Amino acid sequence: MSNIPQVFLGSGSKAMPLVGMGTAVYPFAPSETMRSAILRAIELGYRHFDTAALYQSELPLGEAIAEALRCGLIKSRDELFITSKLWCSDAQHDRVLPALHRTLQNLQLEHLDLYLIHWPASAKPGRYELPFPKEELLPFDTNSVWEAMEKCQKLGLTKFIGVSNFSCKKLETLLATARIPPAVDQVEVNPLWQQKKLREFCTAKGIQICAYSPLGARGTLWGTDCVMECDVLKEIAAAKGRTLAQVCLRWVYEQGDCVLVKSFDEKRMKENLDILDWELNEEERHKISQIPQQKGFPGLEFVSIDGPYKSPAELWDGEI
């Protein structure tokens, strides 16, 4: 079994494995393939699983966890670190707690390890879709939604709370009034979108970055081919005798970020764990630091001339 390094979040007693398995498959839909892949991942040593109300992967993840317990792959649910996320249609003060209860019911769990606000955006209740009709976008009230997230933690329904897709400015706004600071900001990170400014800010504030799309998320709504087609990364991978994916994942891991990677292919699942006992050298790190930066997912689905964010610059507070 893989011995994946862990990081303690805040002053909590539960540590988060620094390599996790994502479960977002586009188009979003639960499947038997997903359930069996998660079960195999647990066999291979994965202990951190990332889901969300949006992904429709909570049910198969819950079924896989229950089966892993039944057949003795794990002795206790506490061996796992489970993250889920609040979707925009529930990002209103009075909808947060019911949304978490639904998530826990789907997962067949009594508590999460980490519950995140998926986007700094709110929409009319009812839909768990992306994209959704832009006329359904509503103003996002950071303070009241976070207050409800804090209640979830105080009730013991999640060990930690955090955010996703928050800029430095949005984190500053949140930290100004938060009684419980966010433990995590889950954002896009890869060699083509390195997030240096955000990482410096989060390090200073004690917030752990979790990286989604570390390989560019090719084939999804939020992904591009650019990472996997990058010549610099291809050259480093060839010189190292590693796959390009392994070079990307190792680079993210070396930044101190938690890396979330999604593959249901067993060979790739094994390769994605094989990043812990080697490292990039100084020259390779320098080459990667010089790669021109381009964000893969600008979040145009949350931008509307009639909505709270009129431009990508407003959504990301110029950090794009």
Side-chain angles (χ1 to χ4, degrees), residues 76 101 249:
S76 159
H101 278 302
L249 298 177

Side-chain angles (χ1 to χ4, degrees), residues 48-92:
H48 177 177
F49 293 90
D50 181 87
T51 182
L54 174 68
Y55 305 160
Q56 297 182 41
S57 59
E58 292 174 337
L59 280 168
L61 175 55
E63 288 165 3
I65 293 168
E67 193 168 333
L69 284 163
R70 269 196 308 274
C71 63
L73 285 177
I74 50 173
K75 292 186 177 70
S76 159
R77 172 262 179 270
D78 291 333
E79 291 178 37
L80 303 178
F81 192 99
I82 307 298
T83 300
S84 194
K85 307 181 196 80
L86 177 81
W87 185 235
C88 303
S89 54
D90 289 319
Q92 295 152 39

Side-chain angles (χ1 to χ4, degrees), residues 41 57 59 125 167 186 251 260 319:
S57 59
L59 280 168
S167 65
Q186 187 182 123
W251 179 86
L260 300 170
E319 296 167 29

Side-chain angles (χ1 to χ4, degrees), residues 5 8 17 41-42 62 81 87 101 109 126 128 134 136 141 166 203 208 213 222 225 228 231 293 313:
F8 283 96
I42 293 172
F81 192 99
W87 185 235
H101 278 302
L109 297 178
Y128 296 87
K134 290 192 177 183
E136 295 189 2
D141 185 343
F166 271 51
T203 300
Q208 175 67 42
S213 301
W222 56 92
D225 295 346
M228 298 303 282
D231 288 336
Q293 295 296 285

Side-chain angles (χ1 to χ4, degrees), residues 134-145:
K134 290 192 177 183
E135 59 270 19
E136 295 189 2
L137 283 165
L138 298 170
F140 177 71
D141 185 343
T142 304
N143 293 350
S144 72
V145 173

Side-chain angles (χ1 to χ4, degrees), residues 43-271:
E43 283 186 276
L44 292 172
Y46 286 87
R47 292 294 179 266
H48 177 177
F49 293 90
D50 181 87
T51 182
L54 174 68
Y55 305 160
Q56 297 182 41
S57 59
E58 292 174 337
L59 280 168
L61 175 55
E63 288 165 3
I65 293 168
E67 193 168 333
L69 284 163
R70 269 196 308 274
C71 63
L73 285 177
I74 50 173
K75 292 186 177 70
S76 159
R77 172 262 179 270
D78 291 333
E79 291 178 37
L80 303 178
F81 192 99
I82 307 298
T83 300
S84 194
K85 307 181 196 80
L86 177 81
W87 185 235
C88 303
S89 54
D90 289 319
Q92 295 152 39
H93 183 275
D94 294 342
R95 297 187 64 82
V96 174
L97 192 56
L100 178 51
H101 278 302
R102 279 194 302 278
T103 280
L104 292 172
Q105 188 175 5
N106 288 340
L107 288 164
Q108 305 176 48
L109 297 178
E110 292 180 359
H111 70 271
L112 290 178
D113 295 294
L114 178 62
Y115 195 39
L116 305 177
I117 298 173
H118 206 151
W119 281 86
S122 187
K124 287 181 181 174
R127 290 182 200 265
Y128 296 87
E129 298 172 6
L130 187 70
F132 51 78
K134 290 192 177 183
E135 59 270 19
E136 295 189 2
L137 283 165
L138 298 170
F140 177 71
D141 185 343
T142 304
N143 293 350
S144 72
V145 173
W146 190 251
E147 191 179 78
M149 295 286 286
E150 290 175 330
K151 184 179 181 184
C152 293
Q153 182 168 332
K154 286 170 186 167
L155 289 170
L157 299 174
T158 182
K159 290 194 179 296
F160 300 99
I161 50 176
V163 296
S164 183
N165 300 299
F166 271 51
S167 65
C168 295
K169 186 176 177 183
K170 286 181 174 59
L171 284 171
E172 274 183 332
T173 300
L174 175 55
L175 288 167
T177 58
R179 289 191 175 92
I180 302 172
V184 161
D185 190 5
Q186 187 182 123
V187 292
E188 178 186 349
V189 182
N190 55 60
L192 272 68
W193 193 244
Q194 297 182 14
Q195 296 276 25
K196 290 174 186 173
K197 179 186 174 186
L198 182 68
R199 188 174 297 104
E200 284 173 14
F201 180 90
C202 286
T203 300
K205 301 293 184 184
I207 299 168
Q208 175 67 42
I209 286 185
C210 284
Y212 73 74
S213 301
L215 309 180
R218 177 157 61 181
T220 67
L221 171 76
W222 56 92
T224 72
D225 295 346
C226 298
V227 175
M228 298 303 282
E229 297 299 327
C230 175
D231 288 336
V232 172
L233 297 173
K234 285 179 180 177
E235 287 167 15
I236 293 171
K240 272 248 176 305
R242 298 281 172 178
T243 67
L244 188 149
Q246 286 175 321
V247 169
C248 287
L249 298 177
R250 177 69 201 185
W251 179 86
V252 174
Y253 174 76
E254 288 186 8
Q255 308 314 301
D257 300 349
C258 167
V259 58
L260 300 170
V261 65
K262 193 238 92 196
S263 177
F264 294 165
D265 175 84
E266 183 169 336
K267 179 171 176 278
R268 290 206 184 108
M269 284 197 278
K270 289 177 179 174
E271 285 176 355

